[in-house]
Amino acid sequence: EVQLVESGGGLVQPGGSLRLSCVVSGFTFSNYIMNWVRQAPGKGLEWISYISVTGRTNYYADSVKGRFTISRDNAKNSLYLQMNSLGDEDTAVYYCARDKDSSTWFDYWGPGTLVTVSS
Amino acid sequence: QSVLTQPPSASGTPGQGVTISCSGSGSNIGNNFVYWYQQFPGTAPKLLIYMNNQRPSGVPDRFSGSNSGTSASLAISGLRSEDEADYYCAAWDDSLSGRVFGGGTKLTVL
């Protein structure tokens, strides 16, 4: 069974940092493109980052570019999101999501982890 | 303001059909595949349609996707109460070099 489980969310002060993790099981992690998608309370979905199977190619939404860094450890079946210079606008549930292939996006999602930025 | 524009709400009665639109531009829908997702409150989204009109296994054929120029549509036929959810479209945007979602449409089954 394919499973993705995020962790690392919590309360952080404005300007602070947080590192999210997503541990996967049930599939060969190193063969799949991975993403982070977030959803602010009561708002819609926002794609924020993509990482290739090797980790050498990354894309970011403009809203997080320069502040967030996506990475992966294929040996640990883990995806990460390092978030720096956090602001109120970063408060959201953060989901990790897998691409089945280059033409099939977000076929599996984790349950999400909540990040709250507040003083 | 989302790059892809969806109506905030849609509704229909059981058994009816409903269509949800997603409007974009030549840099996204006009030149790339469109995806649709279904999300129930408090849960992660679920892939409904990929590559404009393909359904993953397990998605009922009551759900169908189509494109025309810079717009896309999700059609749901034979509405059921369990279809009441939020629906999102998504596409790659060439100008932004990133993936973009529509603002979402809340479907109510009356």
Side-chain angles (χ1 to χ4, degrees), chain A residues 4 39-40 54 57 59 64 77-78 82 102 111:
Chain A
L4 295 78
Q39 186 168 34
T54 61
T57 300
Y59 295 104
V64 306
N77 289 340
S78 294
Q82 178 66 44
S102 61

Side-chain angles (χ1 to χ4, degrees), chain B:
Chain B
Q1 197 79 335
S2 302
V3 173
L4 305 180
T5 301
Q6 296 181 237
S9 63
S11 63
T13 56
Q16 269 190 335
V18 67
T19 299
I20 296 172
S21 63
C22 176
S23 178
S25 68
S27 66
N28 42 66
I29 293 178
N31 198 40
N32 297 290
F33 289 130
V34 176
Y35 301 80
W36 290 92
Y37 300 87
Q38 176 190 58
Q39 185 182 34
F40 297 106
T43 69
K46 169 190 171 183
L47 176 62
L48 213 53
I49 298 288
Y50 65 99
M51 291 174 62
N52 298 336
N53 54 21
Q54 302 299 302
R55 283 185 308 276
S57 61
V59 173
D61 60 6
R62 300 186 298 105
F63 295 89
S64 62
S66 64
N67 277 27
S68 179
T70 58
S71 291
S73 296
L74 173 70
I76 308 173
S77 62
L79 267 178
R80 299 182 177 184
S81 58
E82 58 260 37
D83 296 333
E84 189 162 288
D86 294 324
Y87 292 85
Y88 295 89
C89 59
W92 178 264
D93 190 284
D94 296 328
S95 298
L96 297 174
S97 291
R99 301 181 180 189
V100 291
F101 281 98
T105 298
K106 182 176 181 60
L107 174 65
T108 301
V109 181
L110 302 169

Side-chain angles (χ1 to χ4, degrees), chain A residues 26-103:
Chain A
F27 64 99
T28 304
F29 180 65
S30 58
N31 289 347
Y32 292 86
I33 291 165
M34 298 296 295
N35 301 266
W36 287 98
V37 177
R38 69 182 180 184
Q39 186 168 34
K43 302 296 185 183
L45 301 172
E46 180 188 17
W47 169 83
I48 56 173
S49 190
Y50 155 119
I51 188 167
S52 64
V53 295
T54 61
R56 286 198 285 264
T57 300
N58 306 320
Y59 295 104
Y60 297 93
D62 287 345
S63 58
V64 306
K65 204 171 293 183
R67 300 188 299 123
F68 290 13
T69 302
I70 191 172
S71 62
R72 66 190 296 160
D73 186 336
N74 288 340
K76 294 183 178 179
N77 289 340
S78 294
L79 174 73
Y80 306 102
L81 185 69
Q82 178 66 44
M83 305 186 295
N84 299 329
S85 302
L86 286 163
D88 295 346
E89 69 278 9
D90 297 314
T91 293
V93 173
Y94 285 74
Y95 297 100
C96 60
R98 186 188 87 164
D99 285 355
K100 181 180 179 182
D101 53 51
S102 61
S103 300

